[in-house]
Amino acid sequence: MAVQKRSGPLDWEDLRVFVALARAGSLSAAARALKVSHATVGRRIAALEKTLGRTLFDRRADGYALTAEGEAVLELASGMDERALAILRRAGQEAGLTGTVRLTATETLAESILIPCLAEFHRRHPGIVLEVLTDPRSLSLARREADVAVRLARPKAGELVTRRLASLGYGVYVAPGGDTSAWVGFDDSYAHLPEAQWLARHAAGERVVLRANTLLAQVSAVRTGFGKALLPRWYAEQEGGLVPMPSPAPPPVREAWLVVHRDLKDVPRVRAVIEAVVAAFEAKRERLGPVGT
């Protein structure tokens, strides 16, 4: 059913919300991405549909699906969105060492490596506000969901600049008196991770008594005595009280990469954060790498 058209100018904010909802597929996901309420997203979409006199989404039980009209509008609006973000990134190059920088990393890297080292950075650059995001999603640098990322895989697409930070060694650990014949493993949602694939290959046929989707939960299970686990060496040794065990095969090694959008790499406040992140990993390089490196 067509929506009755209203007169008046097109509101860019309505379009921005439209693009977010088209990408997210649900009001709740779009609201989280935009940091607004569900009601705001719904109101903006209704306003845009009224302005255009077109129904842009089919409201379904499992989310919002674009109509044919919505697909056409998205093709045009996405280009506007990308150009607007490019303007914002370029404008940021004129700013000094003030403003907000969003840094995203895994929870363990953020809490154990980055934040402790960023205390000195804060003292030297009090005008820079850091937002440290440990969202399990891979936040988009192109859409400015984050400005700087530390990732455990090198991105293969996008206008991104990358720098290898460190190699992260793994080992098998157990608590004193823990069950050395049983494994603590990963749940199915993490089956794609190199460490989960290693465990599937080299512990096949052995008992897995507990599966978890966070490193913290795995370490807690090992401490409690459930069994042994494949853990990042630096994290297991930092926690203390865990005993390294012989491994059935050479443990995996992962790489940490710093990632930033090409348009942001020379923005002063972003450059300052990049240098701080590099220094944080450099200071702990010996602890992070595989045994013997």
Side-chain angles (χ1 to χ4, degrees), residues 63-87:
Y64 278 58
L66 286 168
T67 62
E69 289 286 350
E71 293 280 3
V73 172
L74 178 63
E75 185 175 352
L76 297 170
S78 295
M80 295 170 64
D81 184 47
E82 292 300 324
R83 285 192 290 274
L85 290 172
I87 291 170

PDB file of all heavy atoms in Angstrom, residues 63-87:
ATOM      1  N   GLY A  63      11.677  -9.302  11.100  1.00  0.00           N
ATOM      2  CA  GLY A  63      12.425  -8.069  10.866  1.00  0.00           C
ATOM      3  C   GLY A  63      11.860  -7.246   9.722  1.00  0.00           C
ATOM      4  O   GLY A  63      10.720  -7.453   9.290  1.00  0.00           O
ATOM      5  N   TYR A  64      12.673  -6.311   9.249  1.00  0.00           N
ATOM      6  CA  TYR A  64      12.269  -5.392   8.193  1.00  0.00           C
ATOM      7  C   TYR A  64      12.977  -5.776   6.893  1.00  0.00           C
ATOM      8  O   TYR A  64      14.203  -5.893   6.862  1.00  0.00           O
ATOM      9  CB  TYR A  64      12.647  -3.955   8.567  1.00  0.00           C
ATOM     10  CG  TYR A  64      11.671  -3.270   9.495  1.00  0.00           C
ATOM     11  CD1 TYR A  64      11.364  -3.822  10.741  1.00  0.00           C
ATOM     12  CD2 TYR A  64      11.059  -2.080   9.141  1.00  0.00           C
ATOM     13  CE1 TYR A  64      10.466  -3.207  11.601  1.00  0.00           C
ATOM     14  CE2 TYR A  64      10.152  -1.453   9.992  1.00  0.00           C
ATOM     15  CZ  TYR A  64       9.863  -2.018  11.211  1.00  0.00           C
ATOM     16  OH  TYR A  64       8.980  -1.392  12.053  1.00  0.00           O
ATOM     17  N   ALA A  65      12.197  -5.967   5.833  1.00  0.00           N
ATOM     18  CA  ALA A  65      12.748  -6.304   4.521  1.00  0.00           C
ATOM     19  C   ALA A  65      12.424  -5.184   3.537  1.00  0.00           C
ATOM     20  O   ALA A  65      11.296  -4.670   3.512  1.00  0.00           O
ATOM     21  CB  ALA A  65      12.166  -7.625   4.020  1.00  0.00           C
ATOM     22  N   LEU A  66      13.397  -4.803   2.740  1.00  0.00           N
ATOM     23  CA  LEU A  66      13.196  -3.724   1.776  1.00  0.00           C
ATOM     24  C   LEU A  66      12.198  -4.131   0.699  1.00  0.00           C
ATOM     25  O   LEU A  66      12.225  -5.257   0.196  1.00  0.00           O
ATOM     26  CB  LEU A  66      14.521  -3.352   1.116  1.00  0.00           C
ATOM     27  CG  LEU A  66      15.521  -2.564   1.971  1.00  0.00           C
ATOM     28  CD1 LEU A  66      16.877  -2.547   1.281  1.00  0.00           C
ATOM     29  CD2 LEU A  66      15.034  -1.138   2.213  1.00  0.00           C
ATOM     30  N   THR A  67      11.330  -3.202   0.340  1.00  0.00           N
ATOM     31  CA  THR A  67      10.487  -3.378  -0.836  1.00  0.00           C
ATOM     32  C   THR A  67      11.313  -3.024  -2.068  1.00  0.00           C
ATOM     33  O   THR A  67      12.466  -2.592  -1.964  1.00  0.00           O
ATOM     34  CB  THR A  67       9.266  -2.446  -0.759  1.00  0.00           C
ATOM     35  OG1 THR A  67       9.743  -1.083  -0.759  1.00  0.00           O
ATOM     36  CG2 THR A  67       8.447  -2.705   0.498  1.00  0.00           C
ATOM     37  N   ALA A  68      10.727  -3.190  -3.246  1.00  0.00           N
ATOM     38  CA  ALA A  68      11.432  -2.802  -4.471  1.00  0.00           C
ATOM     39  C   ALA A  68      11.751  -1.311  -4.451  1.00  0.00           C
ATOM     40  O   ALA A  68      12.847  -0.883  -4.858  1.00  0.00           O
ATOM     41  CB  ALA A  68      10.585  -3.154  -5.689  1.00  0.00           C
ATOM     42  N   GLU A  69      10.805  -0.500  -3.972  1.00  0.00           N
ATOM     43  CA  GLU A  69      11.058   0.939  -3.848  1.00  0.00           C
ATOM     44  C   GLU A  69      12.186   1.194  -2.843  1.00  0.00           C
ATOM     45  O   GLU A  69      13.037   2.064  -3.040  1.00  0.00           O
ATOM     46  CB  GLU A  69       9.788   1.661  -3.393  1.00  0.00           C
ATOM     47  CG  GLU A  69       8.699   1.725  -4.442  1.00  0.00           C
ATOM     48  CD  GLU A  69       9.023   2.742  -5.540  1.00  0.00           C
ATOM     49  OE1 GLU A  69       9.987   3.510  -5.380  1.00  0.00           O
ATOM     50  OE2 GLU A  69       8.310   2.743  -6.561  1.00  0.00           O
ATOM     51  N   GLY A  70      12.184   0.438  -1.762  1.00  0.00           N
ATOM     52  CA  GLY A  70      13.225   0.597  -0.758  1.00  0.00           C
ATOM     53  C   GLY A  70      14.605   0.258  -1.301  1.00  0.00           C
ATOM     54  O   GLY A  70      15.588   0.934  -0.992  1.00  0.00           O
ATOM     55  N   GLU A  71      14.687  -0.797  -2.126  1.00  0.00           N
ATOM     56  CA  GLU A  71      15.966  -1.175  -2.737  1.00  0.00           C
ATOM     57  C   GLU A  71      16.504  -0.035  -3.603  1.00  0.00           C
ATOM     58  O   GLU A  71      17.698   0.270  -3.587  1.00  0.00           O
ATOM     59  CB  GLU A  71      15.791  -2.443  -3.585  1.00  0.00           C
ATOM     60  CG  GLU A  71      15.479  -3.697  -2.798  1.00  0.00           C
ATOM     61  CD  GLU A  71      16.718  -4.312  -2.171  1.00  0.00           C
ATOM     62  OE1 GLU A  71      17.803  -3.728  -2.308  1.00  0.00           O
ATOM     63  OE2 GLU A  71      16.574  -5.376  -1.537  1.00  0.00           O
ATOM     64  N   ALA A  72      15.616   0.584  -4.367  1.00  0.00           N
ATOM     65  CA  ALA A  72      16.034   1.688  -5.239  1.00  0.00           C
ATOM     66  C   ALA A  72      16.522   2.881  -4.420  1.00  0.00           C
ATOM     67  O   ALA A  72      17.529   3.516  -4.759  1.00  0.00           O
ATOM     68  CB  ALA A  72      14.869   2.100  -6.142  1.00  0.00           C
ATOM     69  N   VAL A  73      15.801   3.193  -3.346  1.00  0.00           N
ATOM     70  CA  VAL A  73      16.208   4.313  -2.493  1.00  0.00           C
ATOM     71  C   VAL A  73      17.535   4.005  -1.808  1.00  0.00           C
ATOM     72  O   VAL A  73      18.405   4.875  -1.684  1.00  0.00           O
ATOM     73  CB  VAL A  73      15.111   4.633  -1.462  1.00  0.00           C
ATOM     74  CG1 VAL A  73      15.608   5.665  -0.444  1.00  0.00           C
ATOM     75  CG2 VAL A  73      13.858   5.146  -2.152  1.00  0.00           C
ATOM     76  N   LEU A  74      17.732   2.757  -1.372  1.00  0.00           N
ATOM     77  CA  LEU A  74      18.968   2.384  -0.699  1.00  0.00           C
ATOM     78  C   LEU A  74      20.177   2.565  -1.614  1.00  0.00           C
ATOM     79  O   LEU A  74      21.234   3.029  -1.182  1.00  0.00           O
ATOM     80  CB  LEU A  74      18.893   0.933  -0.205  1.00  0.00           C
ATOM     81  CG  LEU A  74      20.159   0.417   0.489  1.00  0.00           C
ATOM     82  CD1 LEU A  74      20.446   1.220   1.753  1.00  0.00           C
ATOM     83  CD2 LEU A  74      20.032  -1.070   0.807  1.00  0.00           C
ATOM     84  N   GLU A  75      20.025   2.195  -2.878  1.00  0.00           N
ATOM     85  CA  GLU A  75      21.131   2.341  -3.823  1.00  0.00           C
ATOM     86  C   GLU A  75      21.600   3.796  -3.910  1.00  0.00           C
ATOM     87  O   GLU A  75      22.805   4.079  -3.963  1.00  0.00           O
ATOM     88  CB  GLU A  75      20.711   1.842  -5.206  1.00  0.00           C
ATOM     89  CG  GLU A  75      21.851   1.852  -6.220  1.00  0.00           C
ATOM     90  CD  GLU A  75      21.436   1.249  -7.550  1.00  0.00           C
ATOM     91  OE1 GLU A  75      20.322   0.697  -7.629  1.00  0.00           O
ATOM     92  OE2 GLU A  75      22.227   1.338  -8.495  1.00  0.00           O
ATOM     93  N   LEU A  76      20.650   4.719  -3.892  1.00  0.00           N
ATOM     94  CA  LEU A  76      20.992   6.138  -3.947  1.00  0.00           C
ATOM     95  C   LEU A  76      21.487   6.649  -2.594  1.00  0.00           C
ATOM     96  O   LEU A  76      22.465   7.393  -2.511  1.00  0.00           O
ATOM     97  CB  LEU A  76      19.770   6.955  -4.394  1.00  0.00           C
ATOM     98  CG  LEU A  76      19.253   6.658  -5.799  1.00  0.00           C
ATOM     99  CD1 LEU A  76      17.914   7.353  -6.017  1.00  0.00           C
ATOM    100  CD2 LEU A  76      20.257   7.110  -6.849  1.00  0.00           C
ATOM    101  N   ALA A  77      20.809   6.238  -1.531  1.00  0.00           N
ATOM    102  CA  ALA A  77      21.137   6.755  -0.201  1.00  0.00           C
ATOM    103  C   ALA A  77      22.482   6.241   0.290  1.00  0.00           C
ATOM    104  O   ALA A  77      23.190   6.953   1.009  1.00  0.00           O
ATOM    105  CB  ALA A  77      20.042   6.373   0.792  1.00  0.00           C
ATOM    106  N   SER A  78      22.865   5.015  -0.084  1.00  0.00           N
ATOM    107  CA  SER A  78      24.144   4.472   0.367  1.00  0.00           C
ATOM    108  C   SER A  78      25.295   5.315  -0.158  1.00  0.00           C
ATOM    109  O   SER A  78      26.270   5.567   0.550  1.00  0.00           O
ATOM    110  CB  SER A  78      24.298   3.016  -0.090  1.00  0.00           C
ATOM    111  OG  SER A  78      23.345   2.200   0.532  1.00  0.00           O
ATOM    112  N   GLY A  79      25.185   5.755  -1.401  1.00  0.00           N
ATOM    113  CA  GLY A  79      26.232   6.611  -1.952  1.00  0.00           C
ATOM    114  C   GLY A  79      26.337   7.919  -1.194  1.00  0.00           C
ATOM    115  O   GLY A  79      27.430   8.420  -0.919  1.00  0.00           O
ATOM    116  N   MET A  80      25.182   8.491  -0.834  1.00  0.00           N
ATOM    117  CA  MET A  80      25.177   9.732  -0.063  1.00  0.00           C
ATOM    118  C   MET A  80      25.803   9.503   1.306  1.00  0.00           C
ATOM    119  O   MET A  80      26.562  10.332   1.815  1.00  0.00           O
ATOM    120  CB  MET A  80      23.746  10.235   0.090  1.00  0.00           C
ATOM    121  CG  MET A  80      23.088  10.646  -1.217  1.00  0.00           C
ATOM    122  SD  MET A  80      21.313  10.954  -1.009  1.00  0.00           S
ATOM    123  CE  MET A  80      21.362  12.366   0.110  1.00  0.00           C
ATOM    124  N   ASP A  81      25.473   8.360   1.913  1.00  0.00           N
ATOM    125  CA  ASP A  81      25.991   8.033   3.233  1.00  0.00           C
ATOM    126  C   ASP A  81      27.508   7.940   3.215  1.00  0.00           C
ATOM    127  O   ASP A  81      28.196   8.499   4.076  1.00  0.00           O
ATOM    128  CB  ASP A  81      25.370   6.700   3.677  1.00  0.00           C
ATOM    129  CG  ASP A  81      25.761   6.314   5.093  1.00  0.00           C
ATOM    130  OD1 ASP A  81      25.678   7.177   5.971  1.00  0.00           O
ATOM    131  OD2 ASP A  81      26.150   5.153   5.302  1.00  0.00           O
ATOM    132  N   GLU A  82      28.053   7.214   2.221  1.00  0.00           N
ATOM    133  CA  GLU A  82      29.501   7.060   2.141  1.00  0.00           C
ATOM    134  C   GLU A  82      30.196   8.397   1.904  1.00  0.00           C
ATOM    135  O   GLU A  82      31.243   8.677   2.480  1.00  0.00           O
ATOM    136  CB  GLU A  82      29.859   6.074   1.018  1.00  0.00           C
ATOM    137  CG  GLU A  82      29.450   4.643   1.292  1.00  0.00           C
ATOM    138  CD  GLU A  82      30.103   4.081   2.548  1.00  0.00           C
ATOM    139  OE1 GLU A  82      31.269   4.434   2.805  1.00  0.00           O
ATOM    140  OE2 GLU A  82      29.450   3.322   3.272  1.00  0.00           O
ATOM    141  N   ARG A  83      29.607   9.251   1.049  1.00  0.00           N
ATOM    142  CA  ARG A  83      30.236  10.556   0.782  1.00  0.00           C
ATOM    143  C   ARG A  83      30.187  11.446   2.017  1.00  0.00           C
ATOM    144  O   ARG A  83      31.139  12.179   2.313  1.00  0.00           O
ATOM    145  CB  ARG A  83      29.536  11.223  -0.402  1.00  0.00           C
ATOM    146  CG  ARG A  83      29.909  10.600  -1.746  1.00  0.00           C
ATOM    147  CD  ARG A  83      29.429  11.456  -2.903  1.00  0.00           C
ATOM    148  NE  ARG A  83      27.987  11.445  -3.037  1.00  0.00           N
ATOM    149  CZ  ARG A  83      27.311  10.526  -3.725  1.00  0.00           C
ATOM    150  NH1 ARG A  83      27.962   9.543  -4.319  1.00  0.00           N
ATOM    151  NH2 ARG A  83      26.002  10.577  -3.810  1.00  0.00           N
ATOM    152  N   ALA A  84      29.086  11.392   2.759  1.00  0.00           N
ATOM    153  CA  ALA A  84      28.985  12.198   3.978  1.00  0.00           C
ATOM    154  C   ALA A  84      30.028  11.757   5.005  1.00  0.00           C
ATOM    155  O   ALA A  84      30.662  12.590   5.661  1.00  0.00           O
ATOM    156  CB  ALA A  84      27.585  12.086   4.573  1.00  0.00           C
ATOM    157  N   LEU A  85      30.230  10.433   5.138  1.00  0.00           N
ATOM    158  CA  LEU A  85      31.226   9.937   6.076  1.00  0.00           C
ATOM    159  C   LEU A  85      32.637  10.309   5.644  1.00  0.00           C
ATOM    160  O   LEU A  85      33.501  10.620   6.468  1.00  0.00           O
ATOM    161  CB  LEU A  85      31.098   8.416   6.209  1.00  0.00           C
ATOM    162  CG  LEU A  85      29.849   7.931   6.940  1.00  0.00           C
ATOM    163  CD1 LEU A  85      29.730   6.422   6.837  1.00  0.00           C
ATOM    164  CD2 LEU A  85      29.864   8.372   8.386  1.00  0.00           C
ATOM    165  N   ALA A  86      32.880  10.308   4.325  1.00  0.00           N
ATOM    166  CA  ALA A  86      34.185  10.724   3.824  1.00  0.00           C
ATOM    167  C   ALA A  86      34.455  12.190   4.157  1.00  0.00           C
ATOM    168  O   ALA A  86      35.577  12.578   4.505  1.00  0.00           O
ATOM    169  CB  ALA A  86      34.267  10.498   2.313  1.00  0.00           C
ATOM    170  N   ILE A  87      33.412  13.029   4.052  1.00  0.00           N
ATOM    171  CA  ILE A  87      33.554  14.450   4.406  1.00  0.00           C
ATOM    172  C   ILE A  87      33.896  14.576   5.889  1.00  0.00           C
ATOM    173  O   ILE A  87      34.773  15.359   6.280  1.00  0.00           O
ATOM    174  CB  ILE A  87      32.266  15.223   4.075  1.00  0.00           C
ATOM    175  CG1 ILE A  87      32.096  15.316   2.550  1.00  0.00           C
ATOM    176  CG2 ILE A  87      32.295  16.621   4.689  1.00  0.00           C
ATOM    177  CD1 ILE A  87      30.740  15.838   2.122  1.00  0.00           C
TER     178      ILE A  87
END
